[in-house]
Amino acid sequence: MEKKCFFCKKTYTLDRSDPQYLKISKNPKASYVCKSCNQSMQKDAQTSTGLHPDMIDSHDKFLR
């Protein structure tokens, strides 16, 4: 299945190994964000807030 990234507008081929494949297959109108844009957004959020996901709940890593 092919889907266009919401941010960079590049077209990507999604297969079952993509984490968003199930979401898109259930709802073809759902927005897709490529891995590159997703990582960029996460880095921007970490830089602007000064928070890292592991800092939010230190006990969470033991429960995974």
Side-chain angles (χ1 to χ4, degrees):
M1 144 183 7
E2 290 192 351
K3 196 72 176 172
K4 191 176 287 193
C5 176
F6 183 77
F7 294 105
C8 67
K9 306 301 183 202
K10 293 180 184 175
T11 302
Y12 291 89
T13 301
L14 293 142
D15 59 5
R16 294 185 186 273
S17 66
D18 192 297
Q20 297 182 59
Y21 178 83
L22 188 60
K23 174 183 86 167
I24 301 295
S25 64
K26 286 183 177 180
N27 181 9
K29 293 183 179 183
S31 298
Y32 173 75
V33 179
C34 69
K35 292 176 187 177
S36 176
C37 290
N38 189 10
Q39 289 174 351
S40 176
M41 288 182 358
Q42 286 179 358
K43 285 180 186 176
D44 288 347
Q46 288 173 12
T47 302
S48 66
T49 63
L51 294 174
H52 188 272
D54 292 337
M55 294 170 58
I56 294 171
D57 187 358
S58 60
H59 301 288
D60 184 53
K61 61 184 173 187
F62 298 112
L63 300 174
R64 291 184 200 166

